[in-house]
Amino acid sequence: MNGFFKNIHGDPIFLAGLQAHNSSTGTDMLDKAIHAIHLYGGNVLETPIYWYDIEPEMNVYRMDMVKDTIDRCRAANLHLILLWFGTSKNGHPNYVPEYIKLDPMTYRLARSVDGAPLAALTPHCMATLERDALAFEQVMSFLKEYDGQTGTVVAMQIENEMGIGYTDRDYSSLARADYEKPLPSELWDVQLEDCGEVSGANTWRGHFGRHAHEAFCAWYHARYIGTIAERGRKIYPFPALITNVMVGESRFEEPGKCYNAGAAVGRVLDIWKKGAPELDLLCPDIYNPEASAYNRIAGRYARPDNALFVPESPATGEPNSLHAIRAVAEYGAIGICGFGAESALDNDGNL
């Protein structure tokens, strides 16, 4: 895909639209979201699909929600980006199946530095990764069969703002063991700014200095999503594969406090590109109203290997309107969506 959205015929398309609220898929609220997009003059709906609905029991898969969502978008003549709410929704496992939630000995939680469990599944657990990837493969297989000739779904977002809150990295036993391993060779040539004193040793601390924990966390989150992307693409290569990012360019920019640790923030984009090469795009959710902050974020993500797509931004307001123009004119953005489509309507269904 080379980072550009295309229709089923291979023609590039610019995507402008809205994202539905988190719980709208499968309800009448989705029709309101579609109505709002038409009023905006948009051409794409972003809406989630939920792992717990796709796999209500282990190895029992149903695609009713996926089919219904595609059918609604086809009828509305809209492109569709499906958001895979799997292991992570803003870092939390809200949308995983019950069998995952009820078996923390198998599907392991991340832990803070004092060993306390956190509301996040660790990316170091291969059992969780395997189940997530299997479910995603089932979705991609269905898309190939049901949408392969139409291409309504132009992109799949894998996870949602993945990372871990309230800690600078995972300190579970699985993570501690991985941290003691030598630095992956893929990262030997990656340099981060402002690392402080480094020793040059083949360790996370020796190479990345004061950013060692963030680099470590970013690598394993990237590998997690990258593995899911690789397996999904083998099933069905058409949709672009993307992930969205809780941006780090705010406040004092400390992982776990200002944003989820491990997120693909500007500081660690090179690590994410190495860890998840099957992802077409790393996409910042930009809600920052200040022009200086918006420019800094857009400038970091608009790179030769990563075209700028903004999957979440305010759906209203003059600053956001100006930023949308700036994103395209100055940073070559290939798409912009506002969040909360339904909330853009008044009680009579008007903007």
Side-chain angles (χ1 to χ4, degrees):
M1 299 292 293
N2 297 320
F4 292 93
F5 299 115
K6 300 176 183 178
N7 63 23
I8 198 68
H9 306 295
D11 304 316
I13 49 178
F14 181 88
L15 295 179
L18 297 170
Q19 183 174 141
H21 279 290
N22 294 334
S23 300
S24 292
T25 310
T27 74
D28 291 342
M29 294 297 290
L30 201 63
D31 294 327
K32 293 184 178 181
I34 290 172
H35 177 59
I37 294 168
H38 283 153
L39 293 179
Y40 268 72
N43 65 354
V44 64
L45 166 70
E46 295 179 317
T47 196
I49 53 174
Y50 317 116
W51 183 3
Y52 72 75
D53 186 86
I54 301 296
E55 189 185 12
E57 300 176 42
M58 181 182 284
N59 296 325
V60 176
Y61 299 99
R62 62 185 187 191
M63 298 295 161
D64 298 20
M65 176 179 288
V66 183
K67 179 181 181 298
D68 174 69
T69 306
I70 292 173
D71 289 345
R72 294 194 202 197
C73 281
R74 283 181 183 169
N77 196 30
L78 292 177
H79 301 297
L80 174 61
I81 296 178
L82 291 175
L83 319 178
W84 173 241
F85 280 14
T87 296
S88 172
K89 168 62 180 79
N90 291 54
H92 303 302
N94 307 43
Y95 293 92
V96 303
E98 288 299 299
Y99 77 83
I100 299 285
K101 295 178 180 178
L102 295 174
D103 189 2
M105 296 302 295
T106 300
Y107 309 106
R108 307 278 286 277
L109 292 170
R111 293 186 176 270
S112 64
V113 67
D114 62 0
L118 296 167
L121 290 165
T122 175
H124 300 268
C125 180
M126 293 302 100
T128 308
L129 173 59
E130 177 61 22
R131 296 309 310 181
D132 195 338
L134 278 173
F136 189 73
E137 286 177 326
Q138 292 291 323
V139 172
M140 294 296 278
S141 179
F142 176 79
L143 293 182
K144 181 179 181 180
E145 177 183 350
Y146 190 69
D147 196 44
Q149 300 301 313
T150 306
T152 304
V153 180
V154 294
M156 291 291 297
Q157 178 185 293
I158 303 175
E159 313 300 347
N160 181 271
E161 294 188 352
M162 195 170 188
I164 308 172
Y166 308 105
T167 184
D168 63 344
R169 73 167 177 89
D170 179 18
Y171 289 87
S172 67
S173 59
L174 292 173
R176 289 179 184 274
D178 283 337
Y179 190 75
E180 296 303 317
K181 295 176 182 178
L183 185 75
S185 59
E186 295 94 330
L187 301 181
W188 289 355
D189 63 346
V190 174
Q191 301 295 324
L192 303 186
E193 294 181 0
D194 195 27
C195 287
E197 185 176 348
V198 296
S199 68
N202 190 25
T203 63
W204 293 99
R205 180 69 66 182
H207 191 80
F208 292 112
R210 74 184 188 91
H211 295 313
H213 286 188
E214 181 167 15
F216 167 74
C217 201
W219 171 254
Y220 278 92
H221 279 89
R223 289 302 307 129
Y224 190 100
I225 289 184
T227 299
I228 295 172
E230 182 179 2
R231 289 177 57 167
R233 176 148 284 162
K234 287 180 179 178
I235 299 293
Y236 180 36
F238 168 65
L241 299 179
I242 66 176
T243 198
N244 68 328
V245 184
M246 179 186 295
V247 296
E249 290 75 13
S250 61
R251 296 188 289 162
F252 47 91
E253 302 188 13
E254 286 294 325
K257 296 180 179 179
C258 303
Y259 54 88
N260 287 340
V265 299
R267 181 184 291 148
V268 294
L269 282 183
D270 288 340
I271 291 176
W272 266 81
K273 283 295 181 180
K274 294 276 190 177
E278 285 294 336
L279 282 177
D280 292 293
L281 299 174
L282 302 171
C283 309
D285 293 340
I286 314 180
Y287 290 90
N288 307 60
E290 307 88 356
S292 59
Y294 194 97
N295 287 335
R296 184 170 177 232
I297 297 166
R300 276 184 150 178
Y301 287 85
R303 337 183 334 164
D305 63 351
N306 195 82
L308 178 63
F309 173 60
V310 182
E312 291 185 31
S313 62
T316 60
E318 291 181 2
N320 190 57
S321 299
L322 294 172
H323 292 332
I325 295 170
R326 179 179 292 111
V328 176
E330 298 185 16
Y331 299 100
I334 60 171
I336 300 171
C337 288
F339 177 78
E342 308 90 313
S343 298
L345 302 174
D346 63 21
N347 290 335
D348 296 321
N350 302 312
L351 292 176

